Amino acid sequence: MHALQYELTLPADHDMRIVRDRVARRGHLLDAWPGLGVKAYLVRERGVHGSPVNQYAPFYLWNTVEGMNAFLWGGGFQGIADDFGRPPARQWTGLAYEEGVAADAPAVVAVRHRRPVPDGVPVGEVAEEAVRECGRPAAADGAVLAAAAVDTARWEPVHVSLWRHDAPEADGEVFQVLHLSAPERDRLPRGRQW
């Protein structure tokens, strides 16, 4: 499993209906993308759920590198670059994935939590803790799914969970989920990824 996310931080007075309309028109285009486990079309609006910014920040879980590369180099990502400029795309190696207790419910919000691995802490311990942390939100009321991954260039784990309600039982930045493309969600490997 591979995770990918890019963030488009927009002006404070940006009309977020533009992003919502774009997702409504184009979100379905990845509903059958080969190699894609999940794409959550995420937004943060200034003043909503404590967000200091307006932001469009889709988050992807890929089953295959080929699917991710086909998206990045084969045209799917070009639409973002054409409309907003080419943002940096962060990539993480998968550590864990779990279906939530509300796996069949539509996702309403997502929570993302990132933190660097402190110096001197064995990275294996951090990875094992990430697996345990992935299981906690997945078992909570209203959880749709939870994933953990790590950016080894920064030694920074990321935890992402999707929820069927807007009162998630997880700490981090809260995003609204505008659409969920999940063509190969059932193929995402469960549990620990090594």
Side-chain angles (χ1 to χ4, degrees):
M1 180 180 77
H2 307 277
L4 173 78
Q5 186 175 39
Y6 46 88
E7 299 173 339
L8 302 163
T9 301
L10 303 164
D13 62 350
H14 186 79
D15 184 351
M16 293 301 285
R17 287 178 295 190
I18 295 168
V19 174
R20 291 177 180 284
D21 291 345
R22 184 182 195 280
V23 171
R25 284 191 327 274
R26 300 178 75 171
H28 72 281
L29 297 176
L30 268 70
D31 286 353
W33 194 277
L36 176 62
V38 170
K39 176 182 181 180
Y41 294 76
L42 305 180
V43 297
R44 291 197 299 163
E45 291 187 63
R46 188 171 184 222
V48 178
H49 295 293
S51 177
V53 298
N54 286 330
Q55 193 173 64
Y56 177 50
F59 188 85
Y60 304 75
L61 294 173
W62 294 94
N63 282 318
T64 68
V65 172
E66 294 84 1
M68 182 173 67
N69 285 342
F71 172 76
L72 289 170
W73 312 118
F77 184 71
Q78 191 61 47
I80 287 292
D82 290 345
D83 291 350
F84 297 100
R86 186 176 58 223
R90 301 259 333 250
Q91 295 184 37
W92 296 269
T93 300
L95 293 175
Y97 175 79
E98 297 292 345
E99 287 285 302
V101 296
D104 294 331
V108 174
V109 299
V111 178
R112 179 187 69 190
H113 180 71
R114 298 180 294 192
R115 71 171 188 280
V117 176
D119 289 336
V121 174
V123 293
E125 290 178 14
V126 171
E128 290 293 347
E129 178 59 22
V131 172
R132 286 190 297 275
E133 284 184 33
C134 183
R136 285 185 201 117
D141 182 47
V144 175
L145 63 84
V150 64
D151 175 346
T152 56
R154 297 180 188 202
W155 291 108
E156 179 185 76
V158 63
H159 296 269
V160 173
S161 52
L162 274 57
W163 301 83
R164 71 180 174 121
H165 52 67
D166 64 358
E169 295 180 35
D171 294 326
E173 299 161 304
V174 179
F175 297 81
Q176 298 166 53
V177 179
L178 301 183
H179 180 74
L180 190 67
S181 293
E184 295 182 13
R185 179 176 168 184
D186 61 331
R187 295 184 194 171
L188 286 168
R190 304 300 192 269
R192 183 179 178 213
Q193 306 280 316
W194 75 95

